[in-house]
Amino acid sequence: MSHIIPYWRRYQRLIFTAFAFLFLESFGDLLQPMIVSRIIDQGVMEGALPVVLRLGGLMLLVTLFGAGCAVTRCIISSRVSQQFGADLRLDLYQRINCFSFGALGKRETAALITRMTNDTSQLVSFTHGMMRVFVRSPMLLFGAITMTFVLNPRLGIILLVVVPLIALLMYISMKVGFPLFSKMQEALDRNNGVLREYLSGVRVVKAYNTFDQEVERFDVSNTELAATAIKATRVVGVFFPIISFAANMALVATLWLARGWVADGQMYVGQVVAFLNYMMQITMSLRMIFNVYQMFIRAKASAHRVGDIINEEDLQGLGGHSSSLYGGAVSFENVTFVYPGGGNEPVLKDVSFELPSGETLGIIGSTGAGKTSLVQLIPAFYLPDLGEVKVGGISTSYADVNALRASIAYVAQQNTLFYGTIADNIRMGKPDATMEEIEVAAKAAQAHEFISASPEGYETIIGQKGVNLSGGQKQRIGIARALVRDAQILILDDCVSAVDVETEGAIMRSINMVSPTVVLITQRISSVINLRHILVLEAGRVAGYGNHASLIETCDVYKEIYNSQLI
């Protein structure tokens, strides 16, 4: 849990203040049985009412003092633990935002969400408990044993026999039961993963009527989670009655022995009553320590999982050249690329080409040729394994990724819209964009007409992932979001496949007027036939590069695509 300690250090003064009030609270709890003993032996047994009133008043003051300390400590611990949780969640969110696509690809989305929510909550509970019961329990345990020896050494010797026995039973319970709590977190990850996949693909499930299969998948993961939780809690449930039985039998044995000692005048009734109170405090402390260890095991497992995020080294966006150096020129120099975790087979092999600033590059090729993989190297979503990708003459391997991406607008093949208004979705490309700029971008993307026809216009609410829009409408809003950015490089990854040829032509004419450099992936030969720069990919290699006339003569792959679509 070493990576969690720096967060606690931010609040160390408040934490030590809470510990101080906790110590005073515990001290008050330990004084009360001793005062009760004096009330019984010196007041009740002697019939001295003034003694009873005086010691009773003292006990009331001690109780009020302890209650005040408890309330103050609770306020401090709640504030510290919740602020700690807020800091940790924010840092994890920012850390994940810096992950490379390779690092994100190694982890399930559901597992990341679980770390941000459930695991963080476990650490928040542990932090709150640390200032509530974690320190109080040992204080009460050792304090009660000490006070019992002060009260009567014979009773203290009984505790030296009883307490180790109860502690041994608790240790066995911890050893057997708590490894299962780590498995519970893993089972929770898998359960969340199945649930997320269903919610993400609910339309596909309904379209193919595979609800029964999804229910079966969820039932398997849900049953596994429940079985693991039941197994863990069953161990705890079995040992708790045994521990309670041992503690109660110790009380019975003590009362049996104390009966004779009181009769012989070797012990007072008040001492026996005080001992019973201390014994209850000791038993309660041992149970709290048991719960503490349970929370510690869960928190330790959660801290390890959170540390997996904090300690991730595959990050992007840190350091590099400033954004003022980036231009619109793009070049690939003998680039070979393998997806992280994708085996040893490259998806791009020895790719080289140069695109001058202000020009448009059309990329065409069969499915699986590596087109999307190629354009994802330009904004440094991934880095090449061999060779160099340069933007504005600067290698992406040494670029400040945040600055690099600030100069690029990217429209993905699968366009993602977020819940909110149409204007807000377009404004994501430029957070400070005015309504005039948004409308200009929408007009260029041929989206203004259908947006204006909506009852709320640009304030129309888009459902999650744009469920209330057609495919072509979603694509045009995505293009408008890129155009409002006014970037030096615009990348269009087959993002006009859902619009008709006439609308596509209008979009491309608008784009060529406002964007200096365009990289266009398309399946339509008509979209690239008039371009000066056409890149043909086949199985991850460059099959041809040039204009239409030269490629028809020299590139068999391009000629085959042309013949299949236009002849």
Side-chain angles (χ1 to χ4, degrees):
M1 299 179 68
S2 58
H3 41 274
I4 302 299
I5 293 176
Y7 290 92
W8 290 337
R9 285 177 181 162
R10 299 178 188 178
Y11 307 100
Q12 57 185 357
R13 290 185 179 179
L14 288 174
I15 290 175
F16 285 125
T17 302
F19 286 165
F21 281 104
L22 190 58
F23 175 80
L24 294 174
E25 177 190 350
S26 301
F27 184 70
D29 289 342
L30 292 170
L31 279 180
Q32 291 187 45
M34 186 69 74
I35 297 174
V36 170
S37 172
R38 299 288 177 85
I39 291 174
I40 295 174
D41 293 336
Q42 298 176 14
V44 176
M45 299 300 292
E46 299 293 333
L49 183 59
V51 174
V52 173
L53 294 176
R54 178 171 53 83
L55 293 176
L58 176 62
M59 186 174 178
L60 178 61
L61 289 175
V62 170
T63 302
L64 292 175
F65 176 76
C69 292
V71 170
T72 305
R73 181 262 308 154
C74 185
I75 293 173
I76 295 173
S77 61
S78 297
R79 176 185 174 186
V80 170
S81 59
Q82 294 304 319
Q83 190 59 52
F84 156 76
D87 291 348
L88 182 59
R89 282 189 293 269
L90 178 60
D91 287 351
L92 287 177
Y93 187 85
Q94 292 176 333
R95 192 73 172 178
I96 292 172
N97 190 50
C98 291
F99 277 13
S100 70
F101 275 47
L104 287 172
K106 292 186 295 185
R107 296 171 175 84
E108 292 186 7
T109 303
L112 293 175
I113 293 173
T114 302
R115 283 160 171 76
M116 290 271 302
T117 53
N118 184 270
D119 288 316
T120 303
S121 296
Q122 293 286 355
L123 290 169
V124 169
S125 298
F126 180 78
T127 302
H128 186 258
M130 181 175 64
M131 293 175 285
R132 187 168 61 92
V133 296
F134 294 7
V135 177
R136 185 170 184 265
S137 301
M139 282 183 181
L140 285 179
L141 175 62
F142 294 108
I145 294 174
T146 302
M147 295 296 282
T148 302
F149 271 100
V150 172
L151 190 68
N152 192 303
R154 291 187 180 186
L155 296 174
I157 292 173
I158 294 175
L159 290 183
L160 293 181
V161 177
V162 174
V163 171
L165 175 62
I166 297 175
L168 177 63
L169 290 172
M170 288 188 172
Y171 174 77
I172 295 173
S173 173
M174 294 172 185
K175 197 73 175 175
V176 174
F178 288 144
L180 295 171
F181 288 110
S182 294
K183 294 181 180 179
M184 280 178 56
Q185 294 298 109
E186 296 172 2
L188 181 63
D189 269 355
R190 290 189 288 272
N191 197 55
N192 287 346
V194 173
L195 181 60
R196 178 186 174 278
E197 285 183 356
Y198 168 72
L199 293 175
S200 300
V202 65
R203 290 175 177 272
V204 177
V205 172
K206 291 183 180 295
Y208 286 91
N209 197 26
T210 57
F211 182 71
D212 291 340
Q213 291 92 315
E214 291 302 314
V215 169
E216 184 177 349
R217 283 183 65 212
F218 184 77
D219 183 54
V220 170
S221 65
N222 195 40
T223 302
E224 179 190 4
L225 175 59
T228 307
I230 290 171
K231 192 173 181 181
T233 53
R234 184 183 296 159
V235 172
V236 176
V238 167
F239 274 90
F240 256 128
I242 296 175
I243 293 168
S244 297
F245 177 77
N248 290 329
M249 289 306 296
L251 288 175
V252 171
T254 301
L255 290 173
W256 179 265
L257 293 172
R259 179 182 64 89
W261 292 336
V262 171
D264 295 341
Q266 301 177 31
M267 187 178 296
Y268 298 108
V269 174
Q271 291 178 332
V272 177
V273 173
F275 172 77
L276 294 178
N277 279 290
Y278 283 129
M279 189 65 191
M280 291 176 61
Q281 286 185 349
I282 289 170
T283 305
M284 181 181 66
S285 298
L286 287 171
R287 287 182 175 178
M288 285 196 295
I289 291 173
F290 182 86
N291 291 330
V292 164
Y293 189 75
Q294 175 180 333
M295 293 182 69
F296 174 75
I297 292 297
R298 291 180 174 180
K300 185 178 180 181
S302 295
H304 177 75
R305 289 153 55 81
V306 168
D308 178 54
I309 305 299
I310 295 175
N311 297 327
E312 175 61 56
E313 297 180 353
D314 189 4
L315 307 175
Q316 291 186 338
L318 306 175
H321 293 279
S322 83
S323 59
S324 61
L325 299 177
Y326 295 112
V330 177
S331 66
F332 278 56
E333 299 175 3
N334 306 114
V335 169
T336 296
F337 171 62
V338 181
Y339 277 108
N344 298 321
E345 183 63 26
V347 292
L348 295 175
K349 308 166 190 174
D350 197 30
V351 174
S352 297
F353 68 88
E354 290 187 9
L355 176 66
S357 178
E359 298 286 342
T360 298
L361 171 67
I363 303 177
I364 197 167
S366 59
T367 301
K371 302 184 293 295
T372 297
S373 301
L374 185 147
V375 297
Q376 287 184 340
L377 296 180
I378 298 174
F381 291 160
Y382 300 94
L383 296 178
D385 294 278
L386 296 174
E388 279 191 324
V389 177
K390 292 183 178 181
V391 177
I394 298 172
S395 173
T396 57
S397 300
Y398 307 103
D400 178 341
V401 177
N402 290 332
L404 171 65
R405 292 172 187 167
S407 66
I408 297 173
Y410 182 86
V411 186
Q413 189 173 17
Q414 306 227 341
N415 198 24
T416 301
L417 299 181
F418 297 87
Y419 181 84
T421 67
I422 292 177
D424 288 339
N425 270 271
I426 297 176
R427 194 178 279 113
M428 285 188 67
K430 185 180 179 182
D432 59 347
T434 64
M435 278 306 303
E436 183 181 356
E437 291 175 315
I438 290 173
E439 290 184 11
V440 169
K443 289 176 181 178
Q446 304 303 304
H448 179 73
E449 184 176 346
F450 80 81
I451 294 174
S452 300
S454 301
E456 301 296 328
Y458 283 85
E459 298 304 313
T460 300
I461 296 293
I462 296 177
Q464 188 178 21
K465 294 186 177 181
V467 295
N468 52 339
L469 297 176
S470 69
Q473 289 173 335
K474 287 190 285 188
Q475 286 187 339
R476 282 177 279 175
I477 291 176
I479 294 171
R481 181 166 60 195
L483 291 177
V484 79
R485 193 175 183 85
D486 194 24
Q488 293 179 314
I489 298 174
L490 176 63
I491 299 174
L492 305 175
D493 185 0
D494 198 17
C495 60
V496 290
S497 57
V499 302
D500 58 79
V501 176
E502 182 179 349
T503 301
E504 179 187 355
I507 292 173
M508 291 308 301
R509 285 192 295 272
S510 299
I511 287 174
N512 290 331
M513 289 189 294
V514 299
S515 184
T517 303
V518 179
V519 178
L520 169 68
I521 292 178
T522 183
Q523 301 290 344
R524 297 173 179 171
I525 199 77
S526 59
S527 300
V528 300
I529 196 169
N530 295 319
L531 298 179
R532 294 172 54 191
H533 303 277
I534 304 172
L535 179 67
V536 185
L537 290 178
E538 178 67 19
R541 296 184 179 275
V542 176
Y545 184 64
N547 58 27
H548 170 74
S550 63
L551 291 174
I552 280 290
E553 298 295 329
T554 61
C555 180
D556 292 337
V557 175
Y558 182 82
K559 186 175 182 179
E560 182 179 343
I561 296 173
Y562 175 79
N563 291 336
S564 66
Q565 294 187 20
L566 299 183
I567 295 181

